[in-house]
Amino acid sequence: MTAPAWAEVSLEQPAVRELAMLSGRGPKLLRRWVAEHPTHGVARALLMLATGDGLSDTTLRDELVVAHRDARAAGERSMSLVYGVFLHTHRQYRLTADHLLTHFARWPGDEVAGLLVDAFHACGDAGYRTHGDTLVERQYAASGADSWLWTSRMAWVRAEQGRPVEAYELAGTALAHCPRSGLAAHARAHAEQELGAGPVSTAFLDRWLAADPHALQFRHLNWHAALQSLACGDFADARGRADSVLDRTDVGMRAATNWRLLLAGQRPAHRSEPDHVRELLAAPGGMAEVFHTFNLALALAVEAATDDLYALARRAAADARPDYHEVLAPVVEALADITAGRPHAAVDRLTGPAEWTDRLGGVRVEREIVQDTLARALVDTGAHTRAAGLLHHRTTTRRHHVYEDLLLTPRTVPAPAPPTAPDSPVPRATPVR
């Protein structure tokens, strides 16, 4: 059977382009596309990719079964794309990554399949992240800088590899080809975080967001702007963004902003609701992902919910999953120690190889808060030289580092002396050395 002309899918189609740009117009255009061509399998699958989080598992599965059936008329590439979307939307990230390796071997440079590449990092496995980075490097090398999507992906890879200058330049190239590339804007925000760009970054993000207030990353990029405001000491702006843009569902971003403010000795924005955080932890998926659990722990730390934190640390220490009992447990226990005024104990929990917190998931800027916490605990125990060494790279390479300077500033109230009693009721969970 010959596939109809409209069955071929590429970034030239407005709906696909808007989806790839992370535009707020993407879901609307995809719905219109599916309404006009109800048997277009890939169009239906991409709509599920964009909106599946709001659907029940049954509805999502049924829609994608129909999409896969209809994709047969368009050929093997379309069927492969739909299957990749099926795996990705069902959070089968390892299987998605494995499938993409096979897909790109047959259809190199496929920009539509590039929409799924974040599965490699979502696996939470260092080996898969490396495979994903290599895949992006290969696709970028083959496609060249004219492919704004692969250039955007390459910028993101370099940002996560700690190569911010390269990431910044690649993001600029992608934005020159496609000014509305959400991934390029996000990669630039990460690069500028590493560079300490401060007001330059917030000005760029505000301009970029003003052009599309419905951009899918609107709240997240405002959070990045809040971090830049923290970097240059504009704490009122950081609090204002947290209060005016981040809502009740943005528990992790609100907590990450507030915990940084508290570590720097500043007044936090409006806080999370402890009962809401407890509800999220008690929900079926409350501890399904290590990074999600870590964010909830930060929210408890902001509220100084010490008993809740020790209880969560016990749960993590008893969890059979290595990332939970080897990494999450000591980090959560350290947060409890900080809130209990016991920085010496927190230092012990957080001391380990620089890379061990990678297993918490998330991205570099999100995990950096663990280093921030250790630096503050070190200063509170009088180990200023060690804390300064920990943050040396940041204070010498970032143009704006008021935040780091404040982390290294002793508090007006002396840190409590080391405890003489047993540290805590939590079983000792030592980080992997």
Side-chain angles (χ1 to χ4, degrees):
M1 180 184 297
T2 301
W6 49 258
E8 277 302 313
V9 180
S10 74
L11 258 62
E12 297 302 313
Q13 286 149 313
V16 183
R17 185 179 179 84
E18 294 288 330
L19 176 62
M21 292 190 300
L22 303 178
S23 162
R25 298 179 64 236
K28 180 180 179 180
L29 291 180
L30 286 166
R31 288 189 181 94
R32 182 186 304 168
W33 193 10
V34 172
E36 293 173 353
H37 301 287
T39 60
H40 195 309
V42 176
R44 185 179 297 276
L46 293 178
L47 177 59
M48 294 302 102
L49 181 64
T51 64
D53 283 346
L55 301 176
S56 69
D57 289 343
T58 300
T59 300
L60 179 63
R61 183 182 63 251
D62 290 347
E63 288 287 324
L64 287 169
V65 166
V66 171
H68 194 265
R69 180 199 67 200
D70 292 340
R72 293 174 185 169
E76 293 184 359
R77 171 179 171 255
S78 291
M79 292 175 65
S80 181
L81 284 170
V82 173
Y83 184 59
V85 172
F86 182 93
L87 294 172
H88 192 285
T89 55
H90 284 80
R91 301 190 178 189
Q92 299 295 316
Y93 296 125
R94 290 182 183 236
L95 293 177
T96 306
D98 293 338
H99 176 71
L100 287 174
L101 292 174
T102 302
H103 182 95
F104 282 111
R106 294 193 62 185
W107 297 284
D110 189 341
E111 292 178 318
V112 181
L115 301 176
L116 307 175
V117 167
D118 62 328
F120 285 92
H121 275 241
C123 290
D125 180 281
Y128 272 89
R129 283 198 299 271
T130 300
H131 285 314
D133 292 351
T134 301
L135 173 66
V136 171
E137 290 169 350
R138 190 162 57 242
Q139 301 306 311
Y140 170 71
S143 301
D146 288 341
S147 171
W148 63 265
L149 185 137
W150 286 118
T151 307
S152 299
R153 285 283 177 198
M154 194 69 244
W156 178 260
V157 166
R158 291 294 183 249
E160 278 302 284
Q161 290 174 337
R163 298 159 69 172
V165 174
E166 292 176 68
Y168 180 85
E169 292 173 350
L170 285 161
T173 300
L175 289 165
H177 283 87
C178 178
R180 297 308 305 165
S181 170
L183 184 58
H186 195 187
R188 173 172 165 167
H190 277 249
E192 290 186 321
Q193 176 70 21
E194 300 272 0
L195 298 170
V200 171
S201 183
T202 56
F204 162 73
L205 290 170
D206 284 340
R207 287 195 306 272
W208 194 87
L209 290 168
D212 182 9
H214 300 291
L216 300 183
Q217 297 169 296
F218 186 84
R219 299 204 299 271
H220 188 71
L221 291 182
N222 261 288
W223 177 71
H224 274 284
L227 295 189
Q228 288 293 352
S229 292
L230 280 170
C232 63
D234 190 349
F235 304 115
D237 184 71
R239 281 192 295 267
R241 290 178 190 272
D243 285 337
S244 63
V245 179
L246 303 182
D247 62 26
R248 189 171 187 261
T249 63
D250 298 318
V251 174
M253 289 188 287
R254 290 183 65 84
T257 304
N258 278 331
W259 187 242
R260 284 175 168 89
L261 284 164
L262 289 168
L263 290 176
Q266 303 300 310
R267 176 173 60 83
H270 292 156
R271 302 181 177 186
S272 301
E273 304 164 26
D275 286 343
H276 180 219
V277 178
R278 293 181 186 111
E279 289 173 8
L280 292 173
L281 275 171
M287 292 188 67
E289 296 177 358
V290 65
F291 184 65
H292 173 68
T293 312
F294 169 64
N295 277 328
L296 296 181
L298 281 179
L300 292 173
V302 168
E303 300 301 324
T306 305
D307 291 343
D308 291 89
L309 284 166
Y310 280 132
L312 179 57
R314 284 194 294 271
R315 288 178 63 187
D319 197 298
R321 292 167 290 185
D323 291 347
Y324 284 73
H325 65 256
E326 293 176 355
V327 182
L328 181 64
V331 169
V332 175
E333 190 173 3
L335 293 174
D337 292 332
I338 293 285
T339 64
R342 302 167 63 251
H344 288 85
V347 168
D348 290 343
R349 316 283 182 223
L350 296 178
T351 299
E355 299 79 17
W356 74 280
T357 55
D358 288 359
R359 292 166 60 188
L360 286 175
V363 293
R364 287 171 61 89
V365 64
E366 292 168 325
R367 295 189 299 269
E368 195 174 76
I369 201 167
V370 178
Q371 187 181 61
D372 300 347
T373 304
L374 175 56
R376 167 48 65 192
L378 285 166
V379 170
D380 286 348
T381 61
H384 186 276
T385 301
R386 185 178 164 194
L390 183 69
L391 300 186
H392 176 75
H393 176 72
R394 287 156 60 172
T395 56
T396 56
T397 61
R398 298 185 178 184
R399 294 193 292 278
H400 293 275
H401 48 80
V402 172
Y403 170 68
E404 282 80 9
D405 291 342
L406 287 173
L407 290 180
L408 297 174
T409 300
R411 300 179 194 262
T412 55
V413 178
T420 56
D423 277 349
S424 81
V426 182
R428 185 56 181 260
T430 304
V432 176
R433 305 295 183 187

